């Protein structure tokens, strides 16, 4: 059984994961308008992954006898600047999500909630990958300069998770 405080914190994280999905979809829509179809594809796959992350916590809350309460998702921006700006935004966003996951884990440790700790370990590992992917693409974009189109083509090869 989940404590009320852990349930509240996990519901907050469900909101963050779905909000991440919405943010990346907004970035994808922006890339479509800028003739960057590869980046749009990469971001759409990312948006789907975030939806999956939200659902993972949703299922966990239910499995533990808790109640999922969905929260509002803010309207994301419509403009994201250059490709470098977009992926800077992705990296900064993922760093915020990592901090939120770490806070959740600290709370689960404090509450001696072992099941939530084990569930969150998957997210801790995932965040290492999420930050690495965003940071690798950002570094490539900084080097690509006018060859950004070649990189866009490469990002478009990302398959669905
Ligand atoms: Fe859910 O990992 Fe990104 O935000």
């Amino acid at each position: 059984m989940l404590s009320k405080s852990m349930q509240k914190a996990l519901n907050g994280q469900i909101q963050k994961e779905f909000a991440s999905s919405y943010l990346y979809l907004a970035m994808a829509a922006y890339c479509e308008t800028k003739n960057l179809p590869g980046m749009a594809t990469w971001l759409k796959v990312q948006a789907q992954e975030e939806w999956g992350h939200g659902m993972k916590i949703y299922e966990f809350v239910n499995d533990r006898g808790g109640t999922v309460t969905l929260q509002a998702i803010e309207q994301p921006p419509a403009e994201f600047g250059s490709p470098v700006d977009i992926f800077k935004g992705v990296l900064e966003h993922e760093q915020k999500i990592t901090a939120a996951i770490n806070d959740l884990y600290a709370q689960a440790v404090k509450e001696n909630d072992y099941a939530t700790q084990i569930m969150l370990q998957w997210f801790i590992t995932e965040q290492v990958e999420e930050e690495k992917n965003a940071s690798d693409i950002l570094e490539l974009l900084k080097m690509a300069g006018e060859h950004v189109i070649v990189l866009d083509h490469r990002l478009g090869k990302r398959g669905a998770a």
Side-chain angles (χ1 to χ4, degrees), residues 115-134:
T116 300
Q117 287 174 42
I118 288 169
M119 183 275 291
L120 288 172
Q121 279 166 13
W122 184 90
F123 281 87
I124 291 169
T125 306
E126 175 71 8
Q127 283 311 119
V128 172
E129 196 193 315
E130 295 277 71
E131 286 193 33
K132 182 189 180 325
N133 289 343

Side-chain angles (χ1 to χ4, degrees), residues 48-72:
Q48 279 170 352
E49 274 198 25
E50 298 300 351
W51 183 266
H53 296 172
M55 288 307 297
K56 227 180 231 292
I57 304 173
Y58 170 106
E59 300 295 358
F60 177 80
V61 170
N62 285 316
D63 288 349
R64 298 283 296 145
T67 302
V68 169
T69 310
L70 295 181
Q71 300 168 13

Side-chain angles (χ1 to χ4, degrees), residues 9 42 80:
W42 192 95
F80 294 93

Side-chain angles (χ1 to χ4, degrees), residues 78-134:
E79 296 282 328
F80 294 93
S82 69
V84 166
D85 294 333
I86 296 167
F87 278 88
K88 246 188 213 160
V90 173
L91 179 58
E92 283 166 12
H93 184 75
E94 288 305 325
Q95 287 166 339
K96 275 192 223 149
I97 297 296
T98 299
I101 296 287
N102 289 346
D103 286 348
L104 279 178
Y105 193 85
Q107 182 177 340
V109 168
K110 209 166 126 207
E111 294 190 15
N112 292 329
D113 181 342
Y114 303 112
T116 300
Q117 287 174 42
I118 288 169
M119 183 275 291
L120 288 172
Q121 279 166 13
W122 184 90
F123 281 87
I124 291 169
T125 306
E126 175 71 8
Q127 283 311 119
V128 172
E129 196 193 315
E130 295 277 71
E131 286 193 33
K132 182 189 180 325
N133 289 343

